[in-house]
Amino acid sequence: MARPRTFEEDRAVEAAMRAFWGAGYENTSTQALCAATGLGRSSIYNTFASKHDLFQKALRHYMDGRNARLAELMDSDLPAREKVGTVLGWAVEPDPEEPAGCLVVNSQVEMARHDPAVAELLRLDYDKRVRMIRAAIEAGISRGEIDAGKDALALAHFVVATVSGLRVAACGGAGRETLASVARTALDAF
């Protein structure tokens, strides 16, 4: 009995996400996608309209997974400063089983300037992350964990930008101690 198409599609999107994450959009050939997904060229194009369509699905898949993890943390009972420290820690010590860097950051650098559809996905993702972090910071301010004079929106933007910078620095060869020192310095803003 053949596996349902949705299973194949989900598995292919996950595999393609890792391929794009590791090599970037332009450097991921159709042949590389075939190798990563285990699908033939015709199966890829029968399942996905184009390489670009598959990339957008892979990027959404990445964002959904990362944002679910962030939402779970931001909705937890931890103090706001500890939540932020955890987010920064994810960038300092990423999962060693994953490709280096961040698919969102890589896509911002590689594609956002010339691909309006990807730029819009990235903008919506950025706004979502800022909203989640801002809400946690505002809750921390209301509980007296963070100085009431702090600007929650500015701090949320700062956290997202710092995480992106940490991801880029790691790809550039910055070591764990360097990344940790940046994270500690960022946490001092709270």
Side-chain angles (χ1 to χ4, degrees), residues 34 39-47:
C34 290
L39 299 174
R41 186 179 296 266
S42 62
S43 293
I44 286 179
Y45 286 109
N46 287 336
T47 305

Side-chain angles (χ1 to χ4, degrees), residues 12-30 33 36 50-59 99-100 102-103 106-107 110-111:
V13 168
E14 172 73 23
M17 177 195 76
R18 289 182 171 278
F20 287 125
W21 187 359
Y25 179 78
E26 288 299 327
N27 288 331
T28 304
S29 66
T30 303
L33 290 170
S50 64
K51 174 183 169 182
H52 192 264
D53 177 57
L54 177 53
F55 175 77
Q56 287 182 312
K57 287 182 175 158
L59 182 58
C102 170
L103 183 57
N106 297 350
S107 300
E110 181 182 6
M111 301 180 72

Side-chain angles (χ1 to χ4, degrees), residues 104 106-120 122-123:
V104 167
N106 297 350
S107 300
Q108 287 170 332
V109 172
E110 181 182 6
M111 301 180 72
R113 289 187 311 256
H114 59 80
D115 189 321
V118 170
E120 180 63 8
L122 293 166
R123 185 191 64 75

Side-chain angles (χ1 to χ4, degrees), residues 43-112:
S43 293
I44 286 179
Y45 286 109
N46 287 336
T47 305
F48 307 101
S50 64
K51 174 183 169 182
H52 192 264
D53 177 57
L54 177 53
F55 175 77
Q56 287 182 312
K57 287 182 175 158
L59 182 58
R60 280 189 201 99
H61 177 70
Y62 179 89
M63 292 171 174
D64 290 346
R66 295 298 191 242
N67 286 333
R69 181 181 182 197
L70 180 63
E72 184 178 339
L73 174 65
M74 292 299 130
D75 291 341
S76 75
D77 292 333
L78 292 173
R81 190 171 187 278
E82 192 172 331
K83 290 176 185 181
V84 171
T86 299
V87 171
L88 294 168
W90 291 340
V92 171
E93 291 190 42
D95 184 337
E97 299 297 315
E98 295 180 342
C102 170
L103 183 57
V104 167
V105 174
N106 297 350
S107 300
Q108 287 170 332
V109 172
E110 181 182 6
M111 301 180 72

